[in-house]
Amino acid sequence: MNCRKFLDITADYPVIFFDSYGVLRNHRGLIPGAVETIASLRAAGKHIRVLTNNAARNPKAAADRLAYHGLPGIPASEIITSGATTRHFLEQKVKSGKVAYLGTPASADYIIGAGLEAVPVAEVDFNHLDDIRAVAFLDDEGYDMNTDVNLVINLLRRCRVPVVVANTDLLYPVAANEVALATGSIARLAEYVLGRKFVKFGKPTSQMFQMGLDSVALEFSAVSPGDILMVGDTLHTDILGGNTFGVATALVLSGNTRADTAEIEIEASGIIPDYICSSIGS
């Protein structure tokens, strides 16, 4: 497996899309060299965006989180979240009523906008379901895995309403070699059991990539997918999404994909990045 130096790869791309967790930071904190790398890209005139499947935080909160970990130079205007794409869908498609959700109140406040009432699945009145207009899988915390997943399955058996998934990640890391089920896994389980298809947001779907491109176009009007390098640590979200959208992709081995299994995972999945790097700092 041929690992390239990250800054050498970026030379040909005026726009860099970064995933956040596993790329800019991981369970140990900020990726070593991340601050210097971002500074070098800024000095070279690169346009930077962060595309994150974390639906629990709005862009400002995500920027504050990066600053807390030691990377203050990325403003909210450069962060695209899966929550933003989900919020846009709900604003366009669901005009009134209640949205039952799995997730935290903070994610519901951000994603489920004005004109709609956000109701945790655990508080839904099953005797009065006529005012439920949508169901949302928002993030990985804020609900009881043993009871609330069963509640949402039974709710969806009785309600034929749109179902949105704000975070399609299947797993999220909780320690160096440990992971937990993420929202995307719970949503897939519900889809399988119910025989339904939900509306999904976040990588690998195209909405976030399009929002990122549209955002860059405000300052670089001639931008096209060929100008963009997507940098991620997960084959099935970052790399697959980037490949599908037509941008170049770089897999880093500082997060979900480990150096000792990367080659096997690429071969087994058929998801092939254009480049492989140890991290953005090397």
Side-chain angles (χ1 to χ4, degrees):
M1 183 170 59
N2 181 27
C3 285
R4 299 276 303 275
K5 186 175 180 181
F6 179 71
L7 284 177
D8 289 347
I9 292 169
T10 64
D12 293 331
Y13 302 97
V15 181
I16 314 296
F17 286 176
F18 289 102
D19 181 33
S20 181
Y21 197 92
V23 177
L24 299 175
R25 68 180 185 92
N26 60 19
H27 63 281
R28 297 184 183 91
L30 205 63
I31 297 297
V35 172
E36 293 79 5
T37 293
I38 296 298
S40 294
L41 294 174
R42 299 281 192 204
K46 307 291 185 182
H47 302 268
I48 292 172
R49 294 296 183 270
V50 176
L51 276 59
T52 174
N53 275 6
N54 187 339
R57 298 186 181 94
N58 62 35
K60 182 182 183 306
D64 290 345
R65 189 70 175 170
L66 288 173
Y68 170 81
H69 284 283
L71 188 60
I74 299 180
S77 60
E78 293 183 347
I79 298 178
I80 312 294
T81 73
S82 60
T85 56
T86 310
R87 181 185 177 99
H88 178 74
F89 174 88
L90 290 172
E91 287 173 346
Q92 298 300 312
K93 296 291 187 180
V94 184
K95 302 299 185 182
S96 63
K98 297 179 179 179
V99 179
Y101 71 91
L102 285 178
T104 61
S107 64
D109 287 345
Y110 165 46
I111 295 170
I112 301 172
L116 297 172
E117 180 182 351
V119 182
V121 165
E123 297 179 13
V124 169
D125 183 352
F126 275 69
N127 294 314
H128 298 88
L129 296 179
D130 290 345
D131 53 356
I132 299 294
R133 296 289 183 264
V135 174
F137 292 77
L138 298 185
D139 61 52
D140 307 316
E141 299 177 344
Y143 58 91
D144 188 302
M145 187 75 76
N146 294 321
T147 59
D148 291 355
V149 173
N150 285 330
L151 284 175
V152 80
I153 293 290
N154 282 286
L155 173 62
L156 290 173
R157 291 183 66 202
R158 298 171 63 177
C159 288
R160 290 291 174 180
V161 297
V163 183
V164 297
V165 183
N167 183 347
T168 55
D169 286 354
L170 301 180
L171 302 170
Y172 66 97
V174 293
N177 293 304
E178 295 181 16
V179 296
L181 292 179
T183 312
S185 292
I186 307 304
R188 280 199 188 183
L189 169 65
E191 281 186 313
Y192 177 79
V193 168
L194 296 166
R196 293 179 62 178
K197 289 294 182 183
F198 302 158
V199 182
K200 300 180 180 68
F201 299 94
K203 298 164 292 182
T205 58
S206 64
Q207 299 98 332
M208 286 182 69
F209 292 92
Q210 186 62 54
M211 288 184 74
L213 188 148
D214 292 345
S215 171
V216 171
L218 296 175
E219 54 196 54
F220 174 24
S221 60
V223 65
S224 70
D227 297 315
I228 300 170
L229 175 68
M230 174 69 215
V231 186
D233 67 314
T234 307
L235 289 168
H236 287 88
T237 54
D238 308 313
I239 306 306
L240 176 60
N243 287 349
T244 302
F245 195 69
V247 305
T249 53
L251 176 70
V252 293
L253 307 178
S254 51
N256 277 332
T257 306
R258 293 162 34 198
D260 58 342
T261 61
E263 206 161 2
I264 295 172
E265 291 182 45
I266 291 169
E267 184 175 347
S269 67
I271 302 169
I272 303 172
D274 294 293
Y275 311 99
I276 300 175
C277 308
S278 296
S279 76
I280 67 167
S282 59

